[in-house]
Amino acid sequence: MTLLELDGVQKRFGAVEALRGVTLAVDAGEVVALVGDNGAGKSTLMKTITGVYRPDGGAIRFEGQDITGLEPGAIRARGIEMIYQDLALARQQDVAANIFLGREPVRRLLGVLPMIDRRRIETEALRMVRRLGARLPSVHYEVGLLSGGQQQSVAIARALTFDPKLVIMDEPTAALAVREVEHVLELIRELRRQRIGVILISHRLTDVFAVADRIVALRQGMVIADERAAATTMQEVVAHIVGAH
Amino acid sequence: MADAAAPVRPPLSHRLSFRIESLVVLLVLCTAMAVLSPYFLSVSNFLNILLATATIGVLAIGATFVICAAGIDLSLGSVLGLSGVVGAIFSVKLEVPWPMALVAGLATGAAAGFVNGILVTRGGIPAFIVTLGMLGIARGLALILTNGQAVYGLDPALVFLGQGRPWGVPMPALVFLLVALVTHWLLAYTRFGRYTLVIGDNEAAARAMGIRVERHKVALYTLSGLLAGTAGILFMARVNAGDPTAGLGYELTAITAAIIGGTNLFGGRGSILGTFIGALVMGVLQNGLNLLAVQSYYQQMAIGTVLIFAVWLDQSSRRRGR
């Protein structure tokens, strides 16, 4: 079943054409790797899907419905989560607050005053952190005090807490130690087993070949190759990225 | 690192989200004043301090919200003056019922804040410049509307807001406490408050997580303006006049109070409780200098010094990793 469909998506920044008509589809339970050189438009494309950027042309459909131009909050509510390369965390907020960022449950004090339900946030954040086996000192810890890998865990926990249907990961392994990389790759396989769609942006082709079902190469804002991972080789993918084909 | 999260208690200052140091400074200051002046330690002087702190305190709360979101509002003092003038003109010259004059003053403050917010978000002009411009515009407008002369003869009900003492407590002090209570709830316990901090912490993340950053900022500057309007009404009521020069330079004291209270100048952290303490520090300082008969010129120097010192303290503790 097609989960996400991009149809001729375009994005311009002034005179620069960052995306020149990108057409792409992701199925439920499919891991699609997006590769390309720096400046090929990978991050721009992902931010256009998540609503951070508004496309200048083309259409984006999710579960058959048009989501083109919706706000980030509305797109998250439909089940698209993204783990940003810079992690998009509030460093002075604690782990629990970051996991629930933008989705804080509210209770009413004395039936009137709305207040963030901290206890619920803490219990559920703790449950998620444990389920992922993340090694964090406490959900009360300020995120800025955590190591890079731990911050990564928080960003991952946030993306997975609300039963997403599609998870986009921008270089999720770039800052990690070898053992942590394996953990993320296993997580991606687990998402596939749960029929969740995954878009993985990565420079590390070994990671890409370890988990991806399909590999899409982007160059100068266009899809120049879209192949099943089993049907291609690392040399071919490198050739696509640098533009030798 | 232990496995996921046997609840380690976060440090006390994190849970309270204000600087313990500010409380220490307040206590040290009070002790020093008590030693230096025999008049300091008395109920009536304490109420005087609360009264003198009320205007600055309400203003500092406005500053806190904006600074928490990594913004700045330099127009606070001028908007205070303009709001008081408008309130007085409505009461004295237009002779409207006092609640309408009150609302007119508050609305003026909110409107000035709203314009600040729109210019910062839609116009893409730095908050520093927008509110610096508004500082000039609001002050100029207050002088034009009054022809540079204070407007006297307010409705007694308005004067009561500034000079009344129910149960012996000055009305401005009561208003300050009420405003502090409501805004403390807003900043510490609601989504609005949390998003304010998150925008100041990492604006791009806030946007990516679905927070409507622009709309929120407009609301923040409007709130800041509304609080400046409230302070303006309090000031007007206390001196029983719409004075176009009211609140001159108050933004300096208000921002200093917020920073002393632990508001991160670069956004992401702050609390009304901290600002309340910070405002009291400023109030006690001014009161003490008055009791010691120090000239007001030196008081300005003292406030400026405290501001620089507070930011230095904040920066150096941050470098040590808090």
Side-chain angles (χ1 to χ4, degrees):
Chain A
M1 184 192 88
T2 308
L3 189 62
L4 176 77
E5 282 179 272
L6 304 184
D7 191 1
V9 171
Q10 298 174 349
K11 179 68 194 172
R12 265 185 302 277
F13 296 105
V16 181
E17 273 191 281
L19 301 175
R20 299 192 284 173
V22 174
T23 299
L24 175 67
V26 181
D27 289 349
E30 187 183 31
V31 179
V32 174
L34 191 63
V35 298
D37 221 338
N38 292 333
K42 302 181 304 267
S43 291
T44 304
L45 183 61
M46 295 305 111
K47 286 181 177 171
T48 308
I49 296 172
T50 59
V52 171
Y53 295 150
R54 182 182 286 266
D56 295 316
I60 305 173
R61 279 181 295 276
F62 188 64
E63 297 187 301
Q65 287 179 311
D66 187 17
I67 60 163
T68 320
L70 290 186
E71 289 188 28
I75 288 176
R76 282 188 89 198
R78 302 227 174 180
I80 300 181
E81 285 290 338
M82 174 153 174
I83 301 166
Y84 290 83
Q85 186 171 10
D86 67 4
L87 304 180
L89 297 169
R91 295 170 56 85
Q92 294 172 83
Q93 296 286 323
D94 67 16
V95 171
N98 268 285
I99 289 178
F100 275 79
L101 196 52
R103 286 178 154 150
E104 296 80 1
V106 171
R107 69 190 172 90
R108 288 191 178 269
L109 188 71
L110 310 170
V112 217
L113 282 184
M115 296 177 94
I116 291 178
D117 193 340
R118 288 188 182 185
R119 193 163 304 165
R120 210 175 118 202
I121 286 180
E122 279 163 20
T123 348
E124 288 182 25
L126 186 57
R127 187 182 306 147
M128 196 61 203
V129 166
R130 288 209 164 117
R131 211 179 95 199
L132 289 171
R135 298 164 67 85
L136 299 174
S138 155
V139 291
H140 298 296
Y141 235 68
E142 223 171 287
V143 162
L145 301 174
L146 300 174
S147 73
Q150 289 171 328
Q151 292 189 12
Q152 182 89 46
S153 307
V154 177
I156 291 173
R158 179 173 65 194
L160 303 185
T161 298
F162 295 91
D163 301 320
K165 292 165 183 161
L166 175 72
V167 177
I168 301 169
M169 302 185 183
D170 193 353
E171 299 286 357
T173 56
L176 299 184
V178 179
R179 204 172 49 119
E180 293 170 321
V181 170
E182 192 44 51
H183 194 75
V184 169
L185 297 182
E186 188 45 48
L187 194 73
I188 293 173
R189 294 187 191 103
E190 173 60 29
L191 292 177
R192 174 165 49 201
R193 281 193 285 275
Q194 292 177 18
R195 304 291 299 156
I196 294 169
V198 176
I199 299 178
L200 169 69
I201 299 178
S202 184
H203 274 105
R204 295 161 76 133
L205 292 183
T206 35
D207 296 351
V208 166
F209 273 90
V211 292
D213 298 307
R214 258 172 56 220
I215 298 175
V216 174
L218 215 58
R219 178 147 42 95
Q220 292 173 352
M222 285 190 295
V223 173
I224 50 158
D226 185 342
E227 291 162 338
R228 286 186 41 244
T232 187
T233 64
M234 213 172 278
Q235 284 80 1
E236 269 188 0
V237 172
V238 171
H240 286 313
I241 293 173
V242 299
H245 278 287
Chain B
M1 290 271 140
D3 171 66
V8 175
R9 299 289 276 174
L12 185 69
S13 61
H14 179 194
R15 273 181 288 149
L16 296 173
S17 74
F18 76 91
R19 288 194 161 274
I20 307 291
E21 292 94 314
S22 61
L23 205 54
V24 176
V25 168
L26 181 60
L27 291 176
V28 168
L29 207 56
C30 284
T31 312
M33 292 305 172
V35 171
L36 289 172
S37 167
Y39 308 106
F40 183 79
L41 274 187
S42 69
V43 175
S44 74
N45 189 47
F46 176 72
L47 290 177
N48 271 341
I49 292 172
L50 264 188
L51 173 61
T53 309
T55 313
I56 284 298
V58 171
L59 220 52
I61 289 172
T64 305
F65 274 93
V66 173
I67 297 174
C68 277
I72 191 80
D73 189 350
L74 299 175
S75 70
L76 287 165
S78 293
V79 172
L80 179 159
L82 178 62
S83 303
V85 158
V86 169
I89 288 177
F90 269 73
S91 174
V92 178
K93 303 217 166 127
L94 305 178
E95 296 180 9
V96 300
W98 69 268
M100 281 179 64
L102 178 72
V103 169
L106 297 179
T108 302
F114 181 76
V115 171
N116 280 339
I118 291 291
L119 290 174
V120 168
T121 53
R122 299 280 163 78
I125 311 166
F128 182 88
I129 297 300
V130 168
T131 59
L132 187 61
M134 183 59 77
L135 178 146
I137 293 168
R139 183 65 66 195
L141 198 53
L143 289 164
I144 291 167
L145 288 174
T146 56
N147 218 355
Q149 305 291 317
V151 179
Y152 293 101
L154 297 176
D155 188 304
L158 287 176
V159 180
F160 179 79
L161 265 180
Q163 300 181 357
R165 285 185 174 242
W167 314 290
V169 184
M171 273 300 283
L174 288 176
V175 173
F176 176 34
L177 291 175
L178 183 71
V179 168
L181 218 57
V182 172
T183 51
H184 177 70
W185 160 76
L186 191 61
L187 184 58
Y189 295 105
T190 68
R191 282 184 166 192
F192 181 88
R194 180 160 294 181
Y195 294 171
T196 301
L197 294 167
V198 170
I199 288 170
D201 195 310
N202 187 342
E203 190 173 320
R207 195 168 282 123
M209 292 304 119
I211 296 168
R212 291 173 172 168
V213 174
E214 270 66 36
R215 217 175 66 169
H216 198 95
K217 282 187 180 176
V218 173
L220 283 173
Y221 282 97
T222 307
L223 175 64
S224 177
L226 176 65
L227 289 166
T230 309
I233 293 293
L234 289 179
F235 191 103
M236 168 200 82
R238 187 153 64 84
V239 302
N240 193 2
D243 177 359
T245 63
L248 203 64
Y250 274 27
E251 53 281 337
L252 173 67
T253 318
I255 291 168
T256 307
I259 302 295
I260 291 176
T263 308
N264 182 351
L265 187 57
F266 306 103
R269 178 186 289 267
S271 77
I272 301 305
L273 184 58
T275 295
F276 186 84
I277 295 168
L280 281 181
V281 168
M282 301 313 288
V284 169
L285 190 67
Q286 275 178 333
N287 177 266
L289 295 174
N290 281 337
L291 288 181
L292 299 174
V294 175
Q295 268 190 11
S296 68
Y297 304 143
Y298 291 98
Q299 296 192 15
Q300 290 226 9
M301 275 184 67
I303 294 167
T305 310
V306 170
L307 173 62
I308 293 173
F309 181 72
V311 172
W312 172 76
L313 195 72
D314 190 50
Q315 290 303 302
S316 58
S317 75
R318 216 170 288 279
R319 270 193 296 272
R320 288 199 308 269
R322 236 189 311 274

